[in-house]
Amino acid sequence: EVQLVESGGGLVQPGGSLRLSCEASGFTFSSYFMSWVRQAPGKGLEWVANIKKDGSDKYYVDSVKGRFTISRDNAKNSLYLQLDSLRAEDTAVYYCATQFGPRFFDYWGQGTLVTVSS
Amino acid sequence: QSALTQPHSVSGSPGQSVTISCTGTSSDVGGYDYVSWYQQHPGKAPKLIIYDVNKRPSGVPDRFSVSKSGNTASLTISGLQAEDEADYYCCSYAGTYTVVFGGGTKLTVL
């Protein structure tokens, strides 16, 4: 059974940093593109970033470029998202998802909440 | 990277059919056959229900179908059931490994 478990969310002040983690199991992690997708409270889904199977290339939505960094450790079956220079508008549930292609997201974690507030 | 356009809400009675549209541009929906749809119940993670425009993952009933014309994809749910009440999101590949979601549509089963 595929499982994706996110952790690392919490309350942080504007301008602060957080590191999110996603531990994967039940599938060959190194064979998948991986993504982070976020959802602000009461709002829709927004793709944030993805990373190729071997970590060689990374892609970001414009609003987080230069502030967020996606990475992975295939030996540990883990995906990460470093969030720096956080803003109030980054407040959201952050989901880790497998991405086929990158055409679609086939498996999702339950999400971790990041709240940016003073 | 502008969000795809979906109606804010739709509704229908059990047994009826509803259609949710998803409009983008030639740089996303119109440019690729890589549109996917997700169902999200309150407090839950999204679930993939359609991929590559009109393919269904195992376990998704054929009551869910999609058509695409130009820059618009449309999800039709036939034989509405109470458990179909949820938020629905479309998503399209937008080139260079990026994707864009629609704003979401709340489906109410009356």
Side-chain angles (χ1 to χ4, degrees):
Chain A
E1 178 192 5
V2 172
Q3 282 201 315
L4 297 168
V5 180
E6 302 94 336
S7 61
L11 175 63
V12 61
Q13 292 188 338
S17 297
L18 273 181
R19 190 193 195 207
L20 307 183
S21 299
C22 171
E23 188 170 330
S25 61
F27 66 102
T28 305
F29 181 73
S30 58
S31 297
Y32 269 86
F33 252 82
M34 293 296 297
S35 260
W36 289 96
V37 176
R38 68 183 178 182
Q39 186 169 34
K43 302 297 185 181
L45 301 172
E46 180 183 36
W47 170 75
V48 174
N50 62 18
I51 185 168
K52 284 190 174 180
K53 301 173 188 180
D54 61 0
S56 59
D57 289 294
K58 308 165 187 184
Y59 303 89
Y60 302 90
V61 68
D62 287 346
S63 60
V64 309
K65 282 179 182 175
R67 301 188 300 121
F68 291 8
T69 303
I70 190 172
S71 62
R72 66 191 296 163
D73 186 336
N74 287 344
K76 294 183 178 180
N77 290 342
S78 292
L79 176 72
Y80 307 101
L81 186 67
Q82 177 68 37
L83 291 70
D84 296 319
S85 303
L86 281 162
R87 306 166 181 168
E89 55 265 35
D90 296 318
T91 294
V93 172
Y94 284 74
Y95 293 102
C96 161
T98 59
Q99 193 173 6
F100 190 93
R103 293 166 13 221
F104 55 88
F105 304 97
D106 39 0
Y107 297 103
W108 298 68
Q110 286 305 303
T112 186
L113 175 62
V114 172
T115 303
V116 184
S117 175
S118 55
Chain B
Q1 294 177 328
S2 298
L4 308 177
T5 300
Q6 296 182 233
H8 182 69
S9 63
V10 297
S11 63
S13 299
Q16 289 187 332
S17 295
V18 294
T19 297
I20 300 171
S21 61
C22 170
T23 301
T25 69
S26 58
S27 296
D28 38 62
V29 175
Y32 308 93
D33 284 335
Y34 295 148
V35 177
S36 52
W37 290 82
Y38 303 85
Q39 177 191 62
Q40 186 180 35
H41 288 106
K44 300 294 187 181
K47 172 190 172 184
L48 176 69
I49 57 172
I50 297 284
Y51 66 97
D52 291 356
V53 179
N54 57 9
K55 297 177 182 175
R56 290 183 307 277
S58 173
V60 175
D62 58 7
R63 300 187 297 104
F64 294 86
S65 63
V66 172
S67 63
K68 189 185 116 172
S69 178
N71 298 335
T72 298
S74 298
L75 170 70
T76 297
I77 309 171
S78 57
L80 268 180
Q81 299 181 3
E83 59 262 35
D84 297 333
E85 183 161 296
D87 293 327
Y88 291 83
Y89 295 90
C90 62
C91 180
S92 175
Y93 181 63
T96 320
Y97 298 98
T98 66
V99 298
V100 60
F101 281 95
T105 299
K106 180 178 180 61
L107 168 62
T108 300
V109 179
L110 301 171

